[in-house]
Amino acid sequence: VLAEVIKAFGAPENAQRMEEARDNACNDMGKMLQFLLPVATQIQQDVIKAYGFSSDGEGVLKFARLIKSYESQDPEIASMSGKLKAMFLPPMTLPPHGAGTGGVAAS
């Protein structure tokens, strides 16, 4: 099921929908939640409903929890889960070490 979800994100029409949502979000986390997450949720719903998950947000959450429970047991599932998350979650960047602490960086 996870492989099919990933494949669905790669379908031309879904890739275009995700790209438009990303453009609308402009790398703003609040706008990501507003524009990108609903599109990503819909794409997942379209696939997982054929496997007995409800075709609503709760179905996607149950699917995500199920995947999470298998990540530690199966490296392939962990890898695919990472791919899926990367498709709709922005990369998290950490602030430079020492930033905001008033300290001086060691050289």
Side-chain angles (χ1 to χ4, degrees):
V1 179
L2 183 54
E4 285 192 37
V5 169
I6 291 170
K7 185 177 173 185
F9 274 92
E13 66 276 8
N14 289 335
Q16 182 177 352
R17 289 171 58 201
M18 290 293 289
E19 191 61 37
E20 288 172 5
R22 262 189 214 92
D23 289 347
N24 288 333
C26 302
N27 272 342
D28 177 288
M29 184 53 88
K31 289 182 180 180
M32 288 279 192
L33 294 173
Q34 183 182 357
F35 295 113
L36 196 62
L37 198 57
V39 174
T41 299
Q42 183 64 53
I43 292 168
Q44 291 179 74
Q45 286 170 347
D46 290 345
V47 175
I48 66 173
K49 67 185 178 187
Y51 294 92
F53 291 93
S54 60
S55 60
D56 57 12
E58 186 60 33
V60 172
L61 290 174
K62 285 181 180 178
F63 176 67
R65 285 192 293 266
L66 184 64
I67 296 305
K68 185 82 176 150
S69 72
Y70 286 110
E71 283 179 352
S72 62
Q73 301 169 29
D74 188 327
E76 186 177 354
I77 289 177
S79 174
M80 286 193 295
S81 176
K83 273 186 197 174
L84 178 61
K85 289 174 191 169
M87 291 177 177
F88 61 90
L89 292 176
M92 298 299 286
T93 55
L94 297 174
H97 185 69
T101 62
V104 176
S107 54

